[in-house]
Amino acid sequence: MNNLEKLFYFRGVSAEYLNYSAERIVVPHEIRVKLLEAVGYDVTDDEAVAQAVYELDALPWKSWLKTFNILRSGESEYLDIRVHPEEKTTSISYQITTEAGELLEGELTPAELPEVGEYYIDGIRYRAHRYPLAGLPLGYHQIVLSNASRKEQAVLAVVPPKCFEIGNGHSDRLWGINCQLYTLRSERNWGIGDFSDLMELIAGSASVGMDVVALNPLHALDMSAEDFSSPYSPSDRCFLNPLYLDPERIPEFWECQTVVSQFRSPACQKKLAALRGLTHVDYRGVAELKYPVYEALFQHFLAQEIELRTERAKAFDLFVQQRNDSLTRFSQHESRLDCQSLGVSRGTSTDPRFHQYLQWLAQQQLQQCQTLALECGMSVGLMGDLAVGAVKEGAEVQGNAELFCDAATIGAPPDPFAPQGQNWNLPAPDPIALQRDNYRHFIELLAANMSCVGAIRIDHVMGLLRLWWCLPGLAGGAYVYYPFEDLLAILCLESHRNNCMVIGEDLGVVPQELRSRMAATAVYGNKVFYFETTHDRQFKPPQDHQVDAMLMVTNHDVATLAGWWNLADLSLRAAMGLVDTVNELPDRLRQRRADKIRLLAWLRSQELLPESWLTDNSHSKVEQPFDISLCGAILRACARSRSRMMLFQLDDLQLLEEPVNIPGTHREYPNWRKKQAIETKALFKDSQILALLASTYRERKQ
């Protein structure tokens, strides 16, 4: 293997992959070369390539330890220490300082330990020796090794073998609802679903016995962008979107007479009523209404709390201190943006404390939602959603620029849904930079997103193993591999530190290696009802579903039940030019008709087909419009699934046809804007819906 091929290997640049049809696809050499150039290598300089290989392969053997070392509690509690032959009989002292501040000391002599590896550098045989180190508590600890001539410091991450699980493992069948928070309606919100609306949804869901409410990503968005609607194109995944705040639940709101007077004015009430009445969220209109109020409340907070050093001011200071450098980077980035277009004065907009204040309030209100869920008897409560990346211009990438490759973006290779492949226009994380930074950013991401929820869904969990890198102006791409076992170990640890279940979105082409490790570490899979079929397109019996998985009846990327049955999804795609109406649409319609017949047969096999749908000839029923009885039958059948968790969309209870999002569209369709048809309170007073939920509960729990 020449040095260039070695560099491909050590940088994780794949040479081939299996596509959606299990065909072996060879990555063109020029694409692989361009990917190396994208991360800064001059592949035309043989000496530079050789030096890069040396630094990635040989140089680490000159250090005793990796800078980040993982010990798996109860499984592999040991350190591998690499030594020069002259050091093998030399005593090495170590000091371990645990997170709790406990100091542990000891000595070791490499020659007395088992040898587990070797590497020759300039003819010198370096050896790796294994030192048992059991009994350390879970967490991130510091270790210092020293002898008479040298000293090294490293991180010891002691991790559990699996992620945290709620309840009695597979025996407890969880169920709940998934929704986009911004879609919620109420008589009091400001034109967008907020944390008070979420509390109302939690109370209603808990009252019918649900375990979980799953949400879209709540990440902070780039408020200076022309369009800041997509929760999957965030500015920073460590922080929250202030638009979800309920201003009236901020303590300063009712103390600030200027704000109260403005709020009660006819002009403001008229604007609020107009925003509430829209069928789609007007993000800019909501922001222009909320942000001037946030500014007034912040100024009141400075005068009445910060200046007087009250207990509330001290709580704010503690929050800022606890979030440390990440909040500093975020707030400084936000203070450089132009919030004046949202009605905020330059003085406030450029004050980092303003943005810290909003994050403090948002975390408080979100935590109150999770606290309510648990108090209402939910076993999980909220399920968060961690997006796969962040936009180039956002706070996360700009504040951690050294961790991202700004010359490449991530996406997906070609498949039947996107024959040209996908480019999500999100900067690619550099796997070597992540390692060299001791995974600081990844740890911060998990801790921030797990702190106020009982479960988290990781979008595109394949990113722990590999990501598809795209290069601007070039067709094609290649998979780049990541330090999978390290990332998975950290995920297990953070899951336990935050008592948070983990679900990995593993739809699409998934390597068996990933599925095996997910199963071994209690990272649950993510299934969607439409795709739970056999090789001949029959719907699987519920008892054949994957146990360690979350079954979603529908989600944000697929048609609603009513839209699927009534063919509204195909009509929409045809109208937008996403489906060839002459050559493709007729085949799609025929296939859907056959799938509808299979669905009715599946429900009949479960003895759940409603009376109004019973017939000796299923073909005669496929043109009948979708109704609440058929919806209830599908939910009841899915509730029988042996999958550990089962979720259904709030939209499906209302028989909504319009989808949340149509993948592959941007301006063609108002993605991430659609609201619910009726208010949340009304949903849980509707007798038909309550009967449907009661029957679903019985199937799931009794």
Side-chain angles (χ1 to χ4, degrees), residues 432-444:
I432 298 298
L434 294 177
Q435 284 181 302
R436 289 173 175 166
D437 194 45
N438 285 342
Y439 305 108
R440 169 194 55 82
H441 180 57
F442 183 66
I443 293 169
E444 287 178 352

Side-chain angles (χ1 to χ4, degrees), residues 34 190 351 355 673:
K34 290 292 184 183
W190 290 37
D351 187 342
H355 306 286
R673 292 172 170 82

Side-chain angles (χ1 to χ4, degrees), residues 413-484:
D415 61 32
F417 296 100
Q420 302 304 314
Q422 299 177 55
N423 184 346
W424 303 327
N425 291 312
L426 303 172
D430 183 336
I432 298 298
L434 294 177
Q435 284 181 302
R436 289 173 175 166
D437 194 45
N438 285 342
Y439 305 108
R440 169 194 55 82
H441 180 57
F442 183 66
I443 293 169
E444 287 178 352
L445 271 181
L446 294 180
N449 282 273
M450 290 178 172
S451 64
C452 296
V453 298
I456 188 171
R457 172 188 176 271
I458 298 180
D459 187 42
H460 197 70
V461 74
M462 287 80 82
L464 297 178
L465 174 67
R466 66 183 190 183
L467 283 169
W468 181 261
W469 282 31
C470 311
L471 294 165
L474 286 180
Y479 279 114
V480 173
Y481 282 78
Y482 288 75
F484 176 50

